Amino acid sequence: MNSYAKIFANCWHTNEKPCAHFVDCINDGQKCHQSAETRKHLDAYKHEILLEDHKKPVILVGMGTCGLANGANHVHAAILAELEKLHLQVQVIPTGCVGYCSMEVIVDIKLPGHPRLCYCRVKPEDVPLLLQKTLVEKSVVAEKLLGIYPAVDGNNGWGELPLLSQVPFFAKQKKQVLVNCGVIDPESIDQYLARGGYKGLSKAINKMTPSEVVKEMIASGLRGRGGGGFPTGKKWEFALNQQAEQKYIVCNADEGDPGAFMDRAVMESDPHRVIEGMVIGAYAIGASEGYIYCRAEYPLAIRRLEKTIADAKAYGLLGKNILGSGFSFNLKIKKGAGAFVCGEETALLHSIEGKRGMPRPRPPFPAVSGLFGKPTVINNVETFANVPNVLRDGAASYAAIGTAGSKGTKIFALSGKISNTGLVEVPMGVSLREVVFDIGGGCPNNKKFKAVQIGGPSGGALPEQVIDTPIDYENLKTVGAMMGSGGLVVMDETTCMVDVAKYFMTFIQSESCGKCIPCREGTKRLLEILERLTASYRSEKTPDEALLRFQGMVYMERLSEVIQNTSLCGLGQTAANPVMSTLRYFRDEYEAHLYDRKCPAGLCRELLTYHIDTEKCTGCTVCARKCPQNAILGEKQKAHYIIDEKCIRCDQCRANCKFDAIFVE
Amino acid sequence: MELQQVYQKYPKNDPSILIPILQDIQEVCGYLSEDELHHVAEHTKLPVSRVFGVATFYNQFRLRPLGKHVIRVCRGTACHVKGSADILTTVENELGIKAGGTTKDLQFSIETVACIGACSIAPVITIDDEFHGGLTVKAVQKLIAAMKNNKE
């Protein structure tokens, strides 16, 4: 196997033998040695790993977590077995996630002299046909084709085929951070380098002082992508201005927000980008040590990051004396132990220190007194992944994209009741409508769109009348949501908004760390109010309890405001957002639950009544046997009957009825 | 890795190693026993109360052993709007235990997770780290019946 390590054998670059020009050599041709042979090798190798000029066919299998969940490892095994059978010399590379999760498993095939093909929804049983047609007969299997990549060497061996970038899911996206995801081999540092990787770092370390890097970051207008949207450059400036013998930089990769997975995808598919961003940040503030605080639930991301750190160290891009500048930086991975509140920066720091992850009041801000009492900068994965672009292309070019207050692009994780689930990267300022309908393809099964939940448990649900709002930090706050980390969960007419609010309250209430009373007690009380709204009349034993239900509704808004205004940390201050936004836009649904004791979406089980259609029931007794409450009576081959008082609305009978004889009101 | 090696891996008297050492011990033993919590306290020179406090704060740590097969039900937002509450009830009913519990024969445990990140195939559960997506109540019943048969 060829590698940059081999090509640069006589001027090889490590921390012991540093050279400032290492990255420039790869990108702009050799700087020091005028050896024609090395130059030839360098060019040839670059063309080879960019798949511009290669001898053997290459197959790339999308093996991120969503690929694996759809069976990518079985497809990978089937490909290897089939290649053995066909006696073909083909390179098979596991790659990351291209973002189109509903089309997984994605298999790309690149033949020499042909543009790269992207096949989708590949199953192990499709593999023989796919390989036979493409590799042997050199023809395209049209029904599995998603699109093709642009021809890299000018000759399009396939003829007219749709470009991948014209597929509706990709057409409106602008990939800046995700550009390498699903395209390169995430475990190959050479592939990252060949695509301009570490150029931003090289420029920062060789040509700029730390304060110039910070100025560049401020000029770029990049804001924290973790939720709050604090300007990254400003944060770095605070830390740079602190005098301390030790400073830290921390990457928040504790993506606990249910329904968000963009950080995971970036770490799995393009981990070097995150590391490069962190080294630039460390250089800018003068940190010599850093931590990546990653969820333990992301084993693949952790494994990739470990390899990435080792590779970057071996190339002298991390560790002592980076690129011969005298600047040293060490990076460690800390596994989170599963606490949503650890996404809050002071709680995260406590967790790294080995304590319970509980927030503390600020100031002092971490930039002044953070990890082990030293100045610390904390940014999330996506923020760091943006940094290399800012340095490489310059602040002006970065700031050209986006709106007045929010620059660059934002990655969203689209999921829920939507046709095209996956990761999308769009410029700031596009509307939610474009993301949900043009990119996401709207709700499947002809269901009517009801709302989109943005920002996870800290955000809000937005109805159709406001989804034309251009996405940026300020606009989203105005309509009662927030950017959050970027989870977009789409809901259709069969989703009950009171149930959604109850779901988020259950989550927040169990994740509240318990330190401050408004969050600990307030969220519990809010949850109780919502539970009363969705509970059956039968659980109300006395008239007082019915009154409590009404009283809760009256107090709900005031309680939400108290939680918002008096909680200690971001988790508590935003905890009531799901309730407030659903109250603001879907009050009618709350009222239907409160007064009519009905759930318009037919989802809140306790408010439903189950009946058996005596015409359709054949008396097969399946429902009676499945009922955990023995609430169904009837003789064999005669219509059955449900005793409403006993029924707990578990839906087992309806789910198991083969004759559609059970209906609800 | 043996338990002894775990203790050797981490320096003594350093409180910041508390979470990693507990993670490694749980990896070896499957859970954190009372004895091990005492050992860790000794190793780190922290009060046992502090070790217990950390072990009960984080969702990852368990103070009881898990069953042989672990079923994790995703309760992420995407799964919720696609009906994961029903999936959870079904799993609970079929196994006769509640989420967080383990069957008496130590064969099955049910856990809920905030989000496994496989939102594209919601609702999703994992059985012994194998993903099962796009589930319906019936599909879950079949899966669990198949698991019970395998056992016997």
Side-chain angles (χ1 to χ4, degrees):
Chain A
M1 275 282 279
N2 210 344
S3 78
Y4 282 126
K6 261 191 194 163
I7 294 168
F8 289 123
N10 48 0
C11 61
W12 175 230
H13 185 274
T14 56
N15 298 111
E16 285 73 39
K17 214 175 151 189
C19 168
H21 302 307
F22 175 62
V23 179
D24 298 342
C25 263
I26 290 169
N27 287 299
D28 314 325
Q30 279 209 301
K31 294 275 174 197
C32 326
H33 299 288
Q34 290 304 322
S35 145
E37 182 143 358
T38 312
R39 180 166 302 171
K40 207 179 85 194
H41 280 311
L42 191 62
D43 280 351
Y45 182 57
K46 190 167 175 176
H47 287 311
E48 188 191 322
I49 57 175
L50 289 179
L51 299 182
E52 289 168 356
D53 182 13
H54 58 114
K55 306 267 176 323
K56 278 193 279 182
V58 178
I59 299 179
L60 299 107
V61 188
M63 291 180 78
T65 295
C66 36
L68 291 173
N70 280 298
N73 44 356
H74 301 300
V75 173
H76 186 252
I79 289 176
L80 292 183
E82 190 63 23
L83 288 175
E84 187 110 334
K85 241 190 253 167
L86 294 170
H87 301 289
L88 288 173
Q89 288 291 312
V90 177
Q91 198 186 353
V92 182
I93 302 175
T95 169
C97 169
V98 75
Y100 205 166
C101 296
S102 43
M103 288 293 165
E104 296 279 0
V105 174
I106 289 181
V107 174
D108 287 7
I109 302 182
K110 172 81 178 78
L111 299 184
H114 291 67
R116 180 166 163 178
L117 296 169
C118 180
Y119 287 121
C120 62
R121 286 189 173 150
V122 179
K123 297 202 169 60
E125 57 268 26
D126 302 326
V127 168
L129 177 81
L130 218 56
L131 298 194
Q132 173 70 25
K133 284 266 183 200
T134 317
L135 295 175
V136 183
E137 296 169 23
K138 304 259 186 302
S139 64
V140 177
V141 185
E143 59 275 16
K144 285 278 164 194
L145 186 77
L146 186 61
I148 60 167
Y149 284 79
V152 279
D153 46 6
N155 54 20
N156 182 352
W158 297 121
E160 282 298 301
L161 284 174
L163 276 174
L164 197 59
S165 54
Q166 285 163 1
V167 174
F169 182 76
F170 293 107
K172 284 208 170 177
Q173 294 196 47
K174 186 160 185 69
K175 296 215 175 196
Q176 291 209 308
V177 174
L178 296 178
V179 64
N180 289 337
C181 294
V183 178
I184 65 166
D185 174 3
E187 298 200 1
S188 158
I189 186 170
D190 285 2
Q191 290 206 8
Y192 183 63
L193 281 163
R195 288 177 187 271
Y198 289 104
K199 235 174 155 177
L201 171 69
S202 173
K203 186 176 159 195
I205 283 194
N206 288 322
K207 299 190 181 130
M208 298 163 88
T209 62
S211 61
E212 280 170 351
V213 175
V214 169
K215 269 192 202 126
E216 192 83 359
M217 288 304 296
I218 294 176
S220 75
L222 172 64
R223 295 170 65 173
R225 296 286 191 252
F230 192 79
T232 308
K234 284 267 179 232
K235 205 184 241 184
W236 291 13
E237 196 180 32
F238 288 138
L240 174 67
N241 293 337
Q242 296 299 315
Q243 298 296 326
E245 75 274 22
Q246 172 83 58
K247 292 180 194 174
Y248 293 99
I249 194 151
V250 175
C251 176
N252 180 354
D254 191 51
E255 192 174 46
D257 176 355
F261 49 93
M262 46 285 204
D263 290 352
R264 190 204 70 212
V266 173
M267 289 188 287
E268 283 176 2
S269 310
D270 198 10
H272 280 284
R273 179 179 292 275
V274 182
I275 307 287
E276 186 186 352
M278 284 192 78
V279 183
I280 295 171
Y283 174 74
I285 66 161
S288 56
E289 269 191 59
Y291 289 94
I292 300 178
Y293 186 86
C294 184
R295 283 182 86 185
E297 286 94 333
Y298 289 171
L300 181 64
I302 292 175
R303 219 183 58 221
R304 290 251 160 94
L305 285 170
E306 277 166 356
K307 181 167 187 335
T308 305
I309 290 174
D311 287 352
K313 267 193 186 152
Y315 272 33
L317 297 163
L318 195 64
K320 273 191 194 136
N321 195 14
I322 295 169
L323 291 171
S325 62
F327 166 68
S328 302
F329 177 61
N330 269 311
L331 197 50
K332 285 183 199 144
I333 297 175
K334 281 265 179 182
K335 279 192 278 180
F340 178 66
V341 68
C342 286
E344 202 280 340
E345 52 183 16
T346 56
L348 187 151
L349 295 178
H350 283 155
S351 177
I352 295 180
E353 289 170 3
K355 298 176 191 154
R356 287 162 75 99
M358 287 169 143
R360 62 160 173 77
R362 298 174 299 179
F365 284 92
V368 178
S369 170
L371 193 58
F372 304 113
K374 303 281 188 271
T376 306
V377 159
I378 304 157
N379 284 125
N380 95 320
V381 172
E382 197 188 331
T383 315
F384 279 123
N386 271 284
V387 172
N389 292 1
V390 174
L391 270 291
R392 193 189 63 208
D393 307 330
S397 134
Y398 185 86
I401 300 170
T403 62
S406 310
K407 301 295 184 193
T409 56
K410 176 77 190 96
I411 308 173
F412 290 103
L414 264 184
S415 61
K417 306 263 180 81
I418 189 155
S419 303
N420 306 331
T421 51
L423 279 187
V424 298
E425 183 175 358
V426 288
M428 294 276 191
V430 303
S431 70
L432 276 168
R433 184 182 294 278
E434 285 172 273
V435 176
V436 173
F437 288 97
D438 298 349
I439 296 175
C443 301
N445 309 327
N446 293 323
K447 289 273 171 22
K448 202 169 164 287
F449 169 89
K450 186 188 260 181
V452 55
Q453 166 78 21
I454 179 166
S458 312
L462 302 177
E464 183 149 18
Q465 64 259 36
V466 294
I467 63 167
D468 287 311
T469 321
I471 299 172
D472 77 2
Y473 290 95
E474 276 68 34
N475 281 344
L476 286 176
K477 271 188 201 146
T478 328
V479 294
M482 67 182 268
M483 187 73 86
S485 52
L488 282 183
V489 182
V490 179
M491 293 151 190
D492 67 13
E493 54 191 332
T494 60
T495 315
C496 167
M497 300 316 287
V498 181
D499 178 67
V500 167
K502 190 172 85 176
Y503 162 78
F504 280 118
M505 242 32 248
T506 313
F507 177 78
I508 286 288
Q509 189 264 325
S510 72
E511 291 296 332
S512 168
C513 77
K515 185 167 180 169
C516 72
I517 297 164
C519 173
R520 186 184 67 219
E521 297 297 324
T523 55
K524 179 87 184 156
R525 295 289 93 79
L526 265 184
L527 178 61
E528 284 170 2
I529 294 174
L530 292 167
E531 278 173 344
R532 265 183 231 121
L533 281 180
T534 53
S536 156
Y537 65 92
R538 285 166 305 158
S539 55
E540 288 171 357
K541 300 274 182 312
T542 60
D544 282 3
E545 286 182 37
L547 283 176
L548 268 178
R549 190 176 78 229
F550 285 92
Q551 189 200 31
M553 190 71 189
V554 174
Y555 283 141
M556 193 146 56
E557 259 167 327
R558 204 178 78 185
L559 178 57
S560 300
E561 277 165 25
V562 171
I563 298 173
Q564 192 172 39
N565 295 331
T566 56
S567 289
L568 173 64
C569 77
L571 180 131
Q573 286 157 13
T574 58
N577 278 358
V579 172
M580 290 171 93
S581 70
T582 46
L583 258 182
R584 176 169 164 185
Y585 295 114
F586 301 97
R587 187 174 277 272
D588 53 331
E589 286 195 31
Y590 278 90
E591 285 171 355
H593 283 75
L594 177 68
Y595 301 122
D596 308 342
R597 311 274 38 224
K598 284 220 164 79
C599 175
L603 202 79
C604 293
R605 282 281 150 66
E606 291 203 25
L607 301 182
L608 306 176
T609 323
Y610 281 72
H611 299 286
I612 293 176
D613 185 337
T614 44
E615 298 283 304
K616 284 184 181 169
C617 180
T618 61
C620 71
T621 73
V622 165
C623 55
R625 275 183 281 128
K626 283 284 170 189
C627 179
Q629 292 298 103
N630 294 327
I632 303 179
L633 296 179
E635 283 173 45
K636 257 188 196 170
Q637 281 160 21
K638 283 188 184 155
H640 281 45
Y641 176 74
I642 300 177
I643 306 167
D644 192 47
E645 284 69 26
K646 271 183 157 185
C647 173
I648 55 164
R649 282 88 176 135
C650 65
D651 206 42
Q652 294 283 331
C653 49
R654 185 165 65 158
N656 282 291
C657 182
K658 287 182 192 131
F659 309 99
D660 273 337
I662 296 170
F663 63 98
V664 288
E665 277 177 347
Chain B
M1 203 163 30
E2 290 294 312
L3 213 46
Q4 208 55 40
Q5 286 170 296
V6 174
Y7 284 104
Q8 278 163 9
K9 196 171 129 192
Y10 294 99
K12 283 194 166 176
N13 310 338
D14 178 1
S16 76
I17 60 144
L18 182 54
I19 293 171
I21 198 170
L22 290 178
Q23 285 172 329
D24 280 1
I25 291 172
Q26 183 162 294
E27 180 116 16
V28 175
C29 307
Y31 74 109
L32 301 171
S33 62
E34 195 179 331
D35 286 352
E36 290 313 320
L37 292 182
H38 280 280
H39 284 162
V40 171
E42 232 165 78
H43 189 85
T44 49
K45 287 281 180 298
L46 286 169
V48 187
S49 60
R50 173 79 197 275
V51 178
F52 184 75
V54 166
T56 49
F57 183 83
Y58 295 99
N59 297 333
Q60 190 190 3
F61 297 125
R62 289 184 295 271
L63 303 181
R64 275 172 220 286
L66 270 186
K68 203 169 143 201
H69 303 286
V70 183
I71 302 167
R72 292 199 169 84
V73 183
C74 181
R75 290 291 285 128
T77 322
C79 286
H80 178 76
V81 300
K82 289 202 170 181
S84 72
D86 289 345
I87 303 290
L88 180 61
T89 327
T90 312
V91 176
E92 287 176 345
N93 285 345
E94 293 291 312
L95 292 177
I97 47 171
K98 288 280 161 200
T102 302
T103 52
K104 275 190 187 145
D105 57 0
L106 287 181
Q107 284 291 323
F108 301 102
S109 290
I110 311 176
E111 289 192 334
T112 56
V113 284
C115 182
I116 355 188
C119 309
S120 63
I121 51 169
V124 57
I125 68 172
T126 65
I127 300 177
D128 298 334
D129 292 328
E130 174 123 1
F131 288 86
H132 299 273
L135 290 171
T136 57
V137 168
K138 272 185 193 159
V140 173
Q141 286 169 340
K142 265 190 199 158
L143 271 175
I144 291 179
M147 276 176 72
K148 281 184 175 165
N149 286 337
N150 270 350
K151 189 192 89 182
E152 282 149 14

